[in-house]
């Protein structure tokens, strides 16, 4: 399989990654699903696409695990021990606008409406095809973290070391989206 390369001609870009201004971005996905078989299958599938995935371990402390992992996307089951997915969705919404995809066997219209009203972005009914899950994940990440529009260049004037010329103007792009390290493509004139 041939993978696209970034504009800088660097390493191939994997499906779970993006290349922005020469930086490779690995998206983090947090799964809160109490069915170990489903959570494991989804985790393995998403990891095979290059995503970094963590599954909730303590269902009475989902928010703390979410904060520790700092994901770019959440997959959340409605029926969880201790507190349901709606509760955790509202708690996450108090501190983050990360996209949330509900995974549920309760796919009736009422649950779909509740999902959206509680702050969720989409719902996928169980049982689901893993390829459909991948497509929804990719679409949600693309919409939430669209890097097509680059931020404006910041230009600073720096003094060159003695004997090396006078002044140089340096332009740098700063990449400040969630999950990214700072990027500095430098142009010197």
């Amino acid at each position: 399989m041939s993978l696209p390369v970034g504009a800088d001609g660097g390493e191939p870009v994997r499906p779970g990654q993006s290349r922005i201004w020469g930086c490779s971005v690995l998206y983090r996905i947090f799964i809160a699903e109490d069915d170990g078989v489903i959570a494991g299958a989804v985790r393995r599938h998403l990891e095979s696409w290059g995503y970094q995935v963590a599954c909730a371990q303590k269902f009475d402390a989902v928010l703390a695990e979410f904060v520790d992992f700092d994901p770019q996307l959440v997959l959340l089951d409605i029926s969880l021990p201790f507190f349901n997915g709606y509760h955790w969705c509202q708690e996450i919404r108090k501190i983050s606008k990360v996209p949330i995809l509900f995974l549920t066997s309760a796919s009736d219209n009422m649950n779909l409406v509740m999902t959206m009203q509680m702050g969720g972005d989409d719902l996928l009914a169980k049982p689901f095809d893993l390829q459909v899950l991948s497509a929804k994940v990719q679409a949600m990440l693309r919409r939430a973290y669209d890097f097509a529009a680059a931020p404006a260049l910041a230009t600073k004037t720096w003094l060159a070391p003695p004997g090396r010329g006078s002044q140089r103007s340096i332009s740098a792009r700063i990449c400040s989206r969630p999950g990214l390290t700072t990027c500095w493509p430098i142009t010197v004139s």
Side-chain angles (χ1 to χ4, degrees):
M1 173 173 88
S2 176
L3 296 171
V5 294
D8 62 353
E11 292 294 315
V13 179
R14 309 260 182 256
Q17 300 176 333
S18 181
R19 183 171 296 285
I20 289 79
W21 305 312
C23 292
S24 181
V25 180
L26 181 67
Y27 290 109
R28 292 182 307 278
I29 300 174
F30 182 69
I31 302 171
E33 166 63 65
D34 61 326
D35 184 323
V37 174
I38 294 172
V42 169
R43 179 184 190 146
R44 284 187 301 278
H45 178 74
L46 293 173
E47 286 176 341
S48 75
W49 277 88
Y51 296 103
Q52 185 180 353
V53 182
C55 294
Q57 301 299 309
K58 298 178 182 176
F59 292 101
D60 59 340
V62 170
L63 187 63
E65 290 184 36
F66 166 84
V67 169
D68 288 344
F69 189 60
D70 190 28
Q72 281 82 40
L73 181 83
V74 174
L75 303 180
L76 188 58
D77 188 12
I78 292 176
S79 300
L80 293 172
F82 300 104
F83 301 100
N84 66 27
Y86 298 134
H87 168 79
W88 292 119
C89 183
Q90 288 181 316
E91 293 301 304
I92 290 169
R93 282 292 172 251
K94 290 178 183 175
I95 60 170
S96 175
K97 293 186 181 203
V98 65
I100 298 175
L101 173 61
F102 275 91
L103 306 176
T104 182
S105 54
S107 63
D108 56 64
N109 287 340
M110 184 60 174
N111 279 306
L112 179 58
V113 170
M114 286 288 290
T115 295
M116 301 304 161
Q117 288 181 341
M118 295 295 175
D121 296 291
D122 203 352
L123 180 135
L124 186 57
K126 297 176 192 174
F128 52 83
D129 185 282
L130 290 173
Q131 299 307 318
V132 173
L133 173 67
S134 297
K136 283 189 177 265
V137 164
Q138 289 170 3
M140 291 177 81
L141 289 170
R142 184 176 56 248
R143 283 191 304 270
Y145 307 105
D146 180 14
F147 296 104
L153 289 177
T155 304
K156 291 193 174 193
T157 302
W158 297 65
L159 290 177
R164 298 264 189 174
S166 56
Q167 294 183 350
R168 295 177 185 229
S169 175
I170 299 178
S171 299
R173 288 186 180 161
I174 301 171
C175 199
S176 62
R177 295 284 189 159
L180 301 179
T181 56
T182 303
C183 308
W184 295 94
I186 304 282
T187 354
V188 179
S189 53

